[in-house]
Amino acid sequence: MADPIVAQKEPIEIELAEGKRYVWCRCGRSGRQPFCDRSHLGSGFTPIVFRAKRSRRYSLCCCKRTKNPPYCDGSHEAL
Ligand code: FES
């Protein structure tokens, strides 16, 4: 399987709501980053479903190289 597409080389800062379910794009093809729009169909990638632990701003990965998805871990700095 090929590497995911780099949607952008910086994370997106976004307010998430405690307990709410989100679907993070893993393939990089989604047109509504950082979330899934089902563009992964046929790519071999599947999105990551997660819930925010608290209501606050999060930094979600858009380069798709993070080792701690869906959160930015700074891996984009090596691109
Ligand atoms: S945007 Fe992917 S690790 Fe920061």
Short mmCIF file of all heavy atoms in Angstrom, two decimals, residues 10-11 61-66 72-76, ligand 1:
data_model
loop_
_atom_site.label_atom_id
_atom_site.label_comp_id
_atom_site.label_asym_id
_atom_site.label_seq_id
_atom_site.Cartn_x
_atom_site.Cartn_y
_atom_site.Cartn_z
N GLU A 10 0.97 21.26 7.54
CA GLU A 10 0.77 21.76 8.91
C GLU A 10 -0.51 21.14 9.45
O GLU A 10 -1.41 20.79 8.69
CB GLU A 10 0.60 23.29 8.95
CG GLU A 10 1.73 24.08 8.34
CD GLU A 10 1.54 24.27 6.86
OE1 GLU A 10 0.38 24.36 6.42
OE2 GLU A 10 2.55 24.30 6.14
N PRO A 11 -0.60 21.04 10.79
CA PRO A 11 -1.83 20.52 11.37
C PRO A 11 -2.95 21.57 11.28
O PRO A 11 -2.71 22.73 10.96
CB PRO A 11 -1.44 20.28 12.83
CG PRO A 11 -0.35 21.27 13.09
CD PRO A 11 0.41 21.38 11.80
N CYS A 61 -3.49 16.18 12.86
CA CYS A 61 -2.52 15.96 11.78
C CYS A 61 -3.18 16.03 10.40
O CYS A 61 -4.24 15.43 10.17
CB CYS A 61 -1.87 14.60 11.97
SG CYS A 61 -0.80 14.11 10.61
N CYS A 62 -2.53 16.73 9.47
CA CYS A 62 -2.98 16.77 8.07
C CYS A 62 -1.91 16.25 7.12
O CYS A 62 -2.18 16.08 5.94
CB CYS A 62 -3.36 18.19 7.69
SG CYS A 62 -4.91 18.70 8.44
N CYS A 63 -0.69 16.01 7.64
CA CYS A 63 0.36 15.46 6.77
C CYS A 63 0.24 13.94 6.68
O CYS A 63 0.80 13.32 5.79
CB CYS A 63 1.74 15.86 7.25
SG CYS A 63 2.35 14.96 8.70
N LYS A 64 -0.51 13.36 7.61
CA LYS A 64 -0.78 11.91 7.66
C LYS A 64 0.47 11.09 7.95
O LYS A 64 0.53 9.91 7.63
CB LYS A 64 -1.47 11.41 6.37
CG LYS A 64 -2.64 12.28 5.93
CD LYS A 64 -3.69 12.47 7.00
CE LYS A 64 -4.76 13.45 6.57
NZ LYS A 64 -5.74 13.69 7.63
N ARG A 65 1.49 11.74 8.57
CA ARG A 65 2.70 11.01 8.95
C ARG A 65 2.85 10.92 10.46
O ARG A 65 3.86 10.38 10.94
CB ARG A 65 3.95 11.71 8.36
CG ARG A 65 3.98 11.78 6.84
CD ARG A 65 3.97 10.41 6.22
NE ARG A 65 4.17 10.44 4.77
CZ ARG A 65 3.21 10.66 3.88
NH1 ARG A 65 1.97 10.90 4.27
NH2 ARG A 65 3.49 10.64 2.59
N THR A 66 1.89 11.41 11.22
CA THR A 66 2.00 11.36 12.67
C THR A 66 2.08 9.92 13.17
O THR A 66 1.45 9.02 12.61
CB THR A 66 0.81 12.08 13.34
OG1 THR A 66 0.97 12.01 14.76
CG2 THR A 66 -0.53 11.46 12.96
N CYS A 72 -1.34 15.76 15.83
CA CYS A 72 -0.04 16.17 15.30
C CYS A 72 1.04 15.83 16.32
O CYS A 72 0.88 16.12 17.51
CB CYS A 72 -0.05 17.67 15.01
SG CYS A 72 1.57 18.34 14.55
N ASP A 73 2.13 15.20 15.86
CA ASP A 73 3.25 14.92 16.75
C ASP A 73 4.52 15.61 16.26
O ASP A 73 5.62 15.27 16.70
CB ASP A 73 3.47 13.41 16.88
CG ASP A 73 4.01 12.77 15.61
OD1 ASP A 73 4.08 13.46 14.56
OD2 ASP A 73 4.36 11.57 15.66
N GLY A 74 4.38 16.52 15.31
CA GLY A 74 5.53 17.26 14.81
C GLY A 74 6.20 16.59 13.62
O GLY A 74 7.17 17.11 13.07
N SER A 75 5.72 15.42 13.19
CA SER A 75 6.34 14.71 12.08
C SER A 75 6.34 15.52 10.79
O SER A 75 7.19 15.32 9.92
CB SER A 75 5.61 13.39 11.81
OG SER A 75 5.79 12.49 12.89
N HIS A 76 5.40 16.46 10.65
CA HIS A 76 5.32 17.28 9.44
C HIS A 76 6.58 18.13 9.25
O HIS A 76 6.89 18.53 8.14
CB HIS A 76 4.08 18.19 9.47
CG HIS A 76 4.08 19.16 10.59
ND1 HIS A 76 3.57 18.88 11.84
CD2 HIS A 76 4.56 20.41 10.65
CE1 HIS A 76 3.72 19.94 12.62
NE2 HIS A 76 4.32 20.87 11.92
S1 FES B 1 0.56 17.73 10.57
FE1 FES B 1 1.11 15.61 10.59
S2 FES B 1 2.47 15.44 12.30
FE2 FES B 1 1.94 17.56 12.26
#
